[in-house]
Amino acid sequence: MTAVGSLGWLAVTGRPDIAYAHSRVAQHMALPTEAAWVAVTRILKYLKGTSKLSLFAPCEQDSGNKDSNWALYTDPDHGGNDEPQNKLRSQCGFIAMYNDAPVLWGSKVSTVSAHANLDEAHVDLSSAASEIYAAATSTQEFMHLQYMCEEMNVKFPKPFKLQLDNTSAEMFIKDTVSKTRLKHIDKRLEWVKMLRNREIMIPVHVGTSENLAGIFTKILTRPTFERLRNH
């Protein structure tokens, strides 16, 4: 528990590259296993081997405090974690880049329940549904970031462009589809309705391979992981 707590501090301060790994091992806190401990030691070995990595942004790139200095991404993984304690729940990842440096990020297990009579989160019925819930969660996080930027007199785009890689989710957010398989989504939820408020956010398509939030949602091949991490 001490090790997981220490990794959690690193995951939210200066090492976004371990955020997903920390989220996975933290699920074992209630019932720790040997496999979970092995995963923790592997994360520690990885950190030791990459101790010279740091977050940085070129000073000359901050010119005029422009909207274009921002890049916001979101991505979910649809039931990719089949460990028993996860119950096939989706993983939500998001990241905000300012001058090419990450300033806010997160990797969270979905806590969405599709109906009020269901008392716990469960597997999403479609990848598009998990993408919509992830977009809504990310929008909340980025709105909080917007408030902080206002206090610091840092310009934040309004509406901001949320980059995602699911076409069905884009159509849902834009409200441009007449027939949909997403009828099970509870549109009464304020944070889902918020997606369609054009004064807050507009969806923008980004290729899956270029979605930086992908590093927070799934186990990647080493080349893909290192490419996203280095970016």
Side-chain angles (χ1 to χ4, degrees):
M1 290 182 177
T2 300
V4 172
S6 298
L7 292 176
W9 179 81
L10 281 172
V12 300
T13 53
R15 294 301 300 258
D17 50 331
I18 68 166
Y20 177 62
H22 169 260
S23 177
R24 288 283 293 260
V25 297
Q27 292 184 28
H28 294 274
M29 293 284 277
L31 294 172
T33 64
E34 281 192 40
W37 174 244
V38 170
V40 168
T41 59
R42 288 192 64 180
I43 298 171
L44 293 172
K45 289 178 181 177
Y46 166 75
L47 289 169
K48 184 178 181 180
T50 56
S51 61
K52 293 184 179 181
L53 290 181
S54 65
L55 306 181
F56 73 95
C59 292
E60 65 272 12
Q61 198 164 332
D62 189 5
S63 56
N65 202 4
K66 301 176 182 177
D67 288 356
S68 58
N69 291 352
W70 289 95
L72 311 174
Y73 301 85
T74 183
D75 187 53
D77 177 55
H78 181 223
N81 180 3
D82 59 359
E83 292 182 285
Q85 81 287 339
N86 188 59
K87 301 178 181 178
L88 289 178
R89 292 175 296 173
S90 297
Q91 189 84 10
C92 169
F94 57 89
I95 185 169
M97 306 284 289
Y98 184 66
N99 290 339
D100 288 335
V103 295
L104 176 70
W105 61 83
S107 178
K108 301 180 179 180
V109 174
S110 175
T111 56
V112 172
S113 179
H115 195 277
N117 293 337
L118 299 174
D119 59 359
E120 65 176 350
H122 51 80
V123 60
D124 289 319
L125 299 182
S126 69
S127 59
S130 63
E131 187 92 28
I132 290 167
Y133 289 137
T137 299
S138 301
T139 298
Q140 287 182 314
E141 296 285 349
F142 294 146
M143 286 177 64
H144 175 62
L145 177 61
Q146 181 181 33
Y147 303 148
M148 290 192 293
C149 287
E150 289 176 358
E151 292 183 358
M152 295 185 291
N153 198 29
V154 174
K155 188 174 182 180
F156 193 88
K158 185 179 181 181
F160 60 81
K161 297 178 180 179
L162 183 61
Q163 301 186 62
L164 62 162
D165 55 20
N166 186 285
T167 305
S168 297
E170 291 177 57
M171 290 190 295
F172 177 89
I173 297 170
K174 293 177 180 178
D175 201 14
T176 57
V177 59
S178 57
K179 296 182 180 180
T180 178
R181 298 178 181 177
L182 301 173
K183 296 178 180 179
H184 60 282
I185 292 181
D186 189 348
K187 299 176 183 62
R188 295 171 298 177
L189 295 172
E190 288 298 324
W191 50 275
V192 172
K193 288 164 58 179
M194 182 172 57
L195 287 177
R196 296 184 176 179
N197 186 340
R198 295 298 183 277
E199 297 178 0
I200 297 176
M201 180 272 287
I202 53 177
V204 176
H205 185 81
V206 62
T208 300
S209 62
E210 302 304 318
N211 191 341
L212 299 188
I215 200 172
F216 302 114
T217 59
K218 58 183 73 71
I219 297 174
L220 303 169
T221 62
R222 181 168 181 167
T224 300
F225 174 83
E226 291 183 347
R227 178 176 58 81
L228 293 177
R229 179 199 67 188
N230 294 344
H231 192 100

